[in-house]
Amino acid sequence: MDVSSSDSHVKRFDFIVLGSGIAGLTFALKVAETGRVAIVTKKNRAESNTNYAQGGIASVTSAEDSFELHVRDTLEAGAGLCKEEVVRTIVQDGPARIKELVELGMRFTEREQAANGDRQFDLGREGGHSKRRILHAKDVTGREIERALLDAINRQPNIAIFENHTAIDLITTQKLNVGCPNRCVGVYVLDNKSGKVDTFVAGNVLLATGGCGKVYLYTTNPDIASGDGVAMAYRAGAAVANMEFIQFHPTCLFHPKAKSFLISEAVRGEGGVLKTLDGREFMDAYHPLKSLAPRDIVARAIDSEMKKGGLEHVWLDITHKPAPYLIERFPNIYQTCLRFGIDISKQPIPVVPAAHYQCGGVVTTVDGETEIAGLFAVGEVACTGLHGANRLASNSLLEALVCAHRAAIRVCETKPEMPDLQIPDWQSGHAQDPDELVVISHNWDEIRRTMWDYVGIVRTNKRLQRALARVSNLQEEIHGYYWDFTVTRDLLELRNIATVAELIIRCALQRPESRGLHFNLDYPEKDADWGQRDTVMRRHE
Ligand code: FAD
Ligand code: SIN
């Protein structure tokens, strides 16, 4: 590869993978057969949204199910905005990818063997699914996926993992202003511990940085989810779409000390019922599927009941199930709630909705290609068209698995034409200020609160405009700060959540209708014309 740099902070690979969740690890394992791979990840290697996934992976594996039904349920949940050909491809590729994952060492929960001795998965049910089709490892599916993939990565000598390294920005020929067709040639990366910034160079870069739950005050996501990939791709000039569709999970544990703990939709799949504080079941007034209606409907119903009754939370009641069953099926949820003093076999669980999943993202094909040559995106960071205006439960692990495989094939088919380049080292300000931390945490808090209060489950034009004014002011302040001061992970994340917050608000303002997860009181109905249109954002220099 003919790329050089002015000093030795340069690391060269064939592939750079940003992120070590299901998307990044799956892709890395596949391309490592053909070249050297660097996985860059912000914290320790397992820390990711994937690691906390509970419910499981949706895929058609039972004789009672069919691709047609999975496609129909996905389209129904997506409220008219899914790309049907993408839905079909991902649904149909699912079983082969599940088989590979099992061969790699993934242990899904099984039921007794079928009479003919075939493997029989225990299939869970979640909101919006007309059949049982969720493969799971009890209620810690994500932890088991990370274990299996990381074990396989350890056996692969072609992969180097850089933990505690934060990608700052993509390096493109356009930014370098070298007058050749635009392509991505690498990434600037901060070593969180030493504070040094290195230049990682490769002909192909995969964004697998996950979602942006931390843009909101209350979220099910861990701290890594600050929308870095969307912000980086946007700054590099790639198209970003449908960011208004932020999914709020209906049931996050309500407890002052339980940061971000999810109560899986699988609990409702096994009969858990939502109730108001006086014990009234309310979901039958909102949807025929009651507590198992699609997520957008359940989250809005809870929000409405909480507002009507001035409630701090609602109940999720699974007390009709015997304790031994709950301990076996939901060991993590059972034990975690017990630590907070709630015995779910005897008491209802206090729950509230919280930001959970980004349905939009960097625009890609189903093979992970973005508009920028050499830049791929897979997983929650990407917008393939699978989810439309509302993701069907447990379709995101499926999408990441299928699209990582397809992207690996595509990337190996295309030989990068790397120009002969001199890449400058990262230039950062050198000022350090004892006030830095307090300003960063104050601005973080202000953005997250603004998004929660004005860009949440129910929106209005006035609230969106108010949020835009606040976030724009903060953007200016952060911009000045960013170029003067030494970069730290906190500062990088602050800049990224501000960018992503602005993208969410601008997308929301652009859509004059209510659809799926975007509900605006000023336009409470769907608009047929907008049913075919994505809200696309591109940065104009
Ligand atoms: P992630 O798994 O989030 O991985 C992102 C990686 O990128 C991390 O390693 C992170 O450290 C790294 N990263 C981020 N920014 C940078 C940067 N700047 N530099 C370097 N590294 C960076 N979906 C389902 O289908 N089924 C479920 O049961 C399910 N349950 C869920 C439960 C919870 C609590 C949560 C939060 C989500 C759940 N989801 C579920 C959603 C699903 O887990 C995620 O959408 C999916 O795991 C995303 O995978 P990913 O590989 O795209 O990103
Ligand atoms: C859950 O277990 O409820 C999460 C499932 C998902 O987000 O798809």
Side-chain angles (χ1 to χ4, degrees):
M1 194 181 299
D2 293 327
V3 179
S4 59
S5 170
S6 48
D7 85 9
S8 60
H9 297 302
V10 183
K11 296 182 164 39
R12 289 191 174 76
F13 294 88
D14 297 306
F15 307 95
I16 299 167
V17 174
L18 304 179
S20 56
I22 187 172
L25 297 180
T26 304
F27 177 89
L29 275 171
K30 292 184 182 245
V31 295
E33 307 285 327
T34 65
R36 289 185 61 238
V37 185
I39 299 178
V40 175
T41 190
K42 235 181 346 185
K43 289 193 166 179
N44 71 59
R45 58 192 68 195
E47 188 59 5
S48 56
N49 274 8
T50 302
N51 201 41
Y52 297 90
Q54 295 187 356
I57 309 185
S59 188
V60 175
T61 60
S62 107
E64 276 119 65
D65 200 1
S66 70
F67 290 146
E68 222 35 60
L69 286 175
H70 191 178
V71 166
R72 195 196 67 191
D73 293 345
T74 302
L75 296 176
E76 177 91 5
L81 205 64
C82 302
K83 294 196 166 60
E84 188 167 340
E85 71 286 4
V86 170
V87 175
R88 286 190 181 281
T89 301
I90 292 176
V91 163
Q92 286 170 11
D93 280 7
R97 301 288 79 77
I98 295 285
K99 187 164 174 281
E100 273 177 8
L101 195 58
V102 171
E103 284 163 3
L104 208 67
M106 170 77 195
R107 294 184 290 246
F108 288 110
T109 301
E110 292 176 10
R111 280 193 292 175
E112 279 168 27
Q113 300 283 311
N116 61 7
D118 278 354
R119 194 188 278 281
Q120 196 167 319
F121 296 119
D122 180 52
L123 298 177
R125 184 155 180 209
E126 291 179 4
H129 288 274
S130 57
K131 292 284 172 193
R132 284 191 171 267
R133 66 167 70 97
I134 320 294
L135 293 99
H136 62 97
K138 300 204 170 174
D139 61 351
V140 285
T141 310
R143 203 189 294 167
E144 172 57 13
I145 291 174
E146 285 287 307
R147 184 209 54 77
L149 290 173
L150 285 169
D151 279 358
I153 296 264
N154 285 339
R155 301 192 289 270
Q156 175 46 266
N158 254 357
I159 300 177
I161 304 197
F162 295 84
E163 293 181 299
N164 296 306
H165 278 65
T166 304
I168 303 176
D169 258 322
L170 300 167
I171 305 169
T172 58
T173 49
Q174 190 171 59
K175 273 200 211 159
L176 297 173
N177 207 8
V178 286
C180 56
N182 194 27
R183 69 167 299 121
C184 186
V185 292
V187 189
Y188 290 116
V189 175
L190 170 73
D191 177 337
N192 301 341
K193 288 190 172 156
S194 72
K196 267 184 19 197
V197 176
D198 286 329
T199 308
F200 280 58
V201 175
N204 288 298
V205 176
L206 176 78
L207 280 175
T209 46
C212 69
K214 296 301 283 189
V215 170
Y216 285 87
L217 190 58
Y218 301 110
T219 175
T220 62
N221 292 190
D223 290 347
I224 52 99
S226 47
D228 299 3
V230 165
M232 282 190 279
Y234 177 71
R235 285 196 290 271
V240 169
N242 292 355
M243 290 298 290
E244 67 274 39
F245 299 114
I246 298 293
Q247 184 168 71
F248 290 78
H249 196 293
T251 57
C252 190
L253 180 61
F254 177 77
H255 188 283
K257 296 213 171 105
K259 186 184 167 200
S260 317
F261 187 71
L262 182 77
I263 307 294
S264 175
E265 199 152 302
V267 172
R268 277 175 283 136
E270 300 306 332
V273 173
L274 290 162
K275 295 179 177 172
T276 49
L277 298 193
D278 55 8
R280 178 176 53 87
E281 293 185 22
F282 57 86
M283 276 309 301
D284 36 357
Y286 294 90
H287 196 275
L289 287 171
K290 303 182 191 171
S291 291
L292 269 187
R295 246 174 229 181
D296 53 335
I297 293 163
V298 182
R300 255 196 317 278
I302 296 177
D303 184 69
S304 160
E305 291 295 325
M306 283 170 54
K307 282 184 178 138
K308 268 196 292 195
L311 314 177
E312 277 193 301
H313 63 83
V314 294
W315 295 124
L316 174 59
D317 192 348
I318 184 92
T319 52
H320 62 283
K321 289 281 190 187
Y325 166 82
L326 292 173
I327 292 166
E328 171 63 21
R329 175 64 179 87
F330 300 113
N332 184 34
I333 293 172
Y334 182 86
Q335 293 301 340
T336 305
C337 288
L338 205 57
R339 274 209 308 282
F340 292 112
I342 305 157
D343 179 343
I344 68 169
S345 68
K346 298 200 175 86
Q347 302 156 258
I349 312 166
V351 292
V352 283
H356 182 62
Y357 185 84
Q358 156 196 310
C359 292
V362 182
V363 175
T364 67
T365 64
V366 74
D367 298 334
E369 297 155 298
T370 71
E371 288 182 345
I372 299 177
L375 180 67
F376 287 71
V378 172
E380 191 167 339
V381 69
C383 180
T384 59
L386 173 69
H387 308 308
N390 175 41
R391 173 178 66 101
L392 183 67
S394 287
N395 261 358
S396 56
L397 294 172
L398 174 71
E399 180 190 48
L401 200 58
V402 166
C403 295
H405 172 85
R406 298 182 69 93
I409 292 176
R410 169 66 76 220
V411 95
C412 293
E413 282 168 0
T414 43
K415 271 255 161 288
E417 285 169 29
M418 291 290 286
D420 192 1
L421 289 175
Q422 187 75 20
I423 301 182
D425 286 340
W426 172 258
Q427 296 297 325
S428 133
H430 292 294
Q432 281 181 333
D433 185 334
D435 279 349
E436 179 182 350
L437 284 180
V438 82
V439 174
I440 290 174
S441 69
H442 179 87
N443 286 352
W444 256 93
D445 192 58
E446 193 168 338
I447 293 171
R448 298 180 69 202
R449 228 168 249 288
T450 301
M451 293 301 285
W452 185 258
D453 290 343
Y454 300 143
V455 198
I457 295 172
V458 176
R459 301 158 180 181
T460 65
N461 286 344
K462 199 167 154 195
R463 285 182 211 162
L464 291 173
Q465 290 292 0
R466 197 172 278 165
L468 185 61
R470 291 194 182 177
V471 169
S472 302
N473 279 342
L474 285 165
Q475 289 261 51
E476 266 180 46
E477 194 176 316
I478 294 165
H479 192 72
Y481 209 72
Y482 183 79
W483 292 111
D484 288 345
F485 287 83
T486 316
V487 288
T488 59
R489 199 184 77 209
D490 286 340
L491 184 52
L492 294 172
E493 289 180 344
L494 173 65
R495 180 169 78 139
N496 291 333
I497 67 158
T499 302
V500 172
E502 187 179 335
L503 288 169
I504 296 170
I505 302 166
R506 287 196 187 281
C507 284
L509 277 166
Q510 248 192 38
R511 183 172 288 278
E513 63 159 354
S514 289
R515 178 179 299 276
L517 297 158
H518 173 65
F519 186 76
N520 185 335
L521 284 172
D522 291 312
Y523 317 102
E525 303 299 330
K526 278 191 190 136
D527 177 325
D529 183 30
W530 274 87
Q532 305 303 315
R533 287 205 251 166
D534 294 328
T535 37
V536 183
M537 300 277 144
R538 272 193 197 80
R539 183 179 181 179
H540 299 292
E541 293 295 339

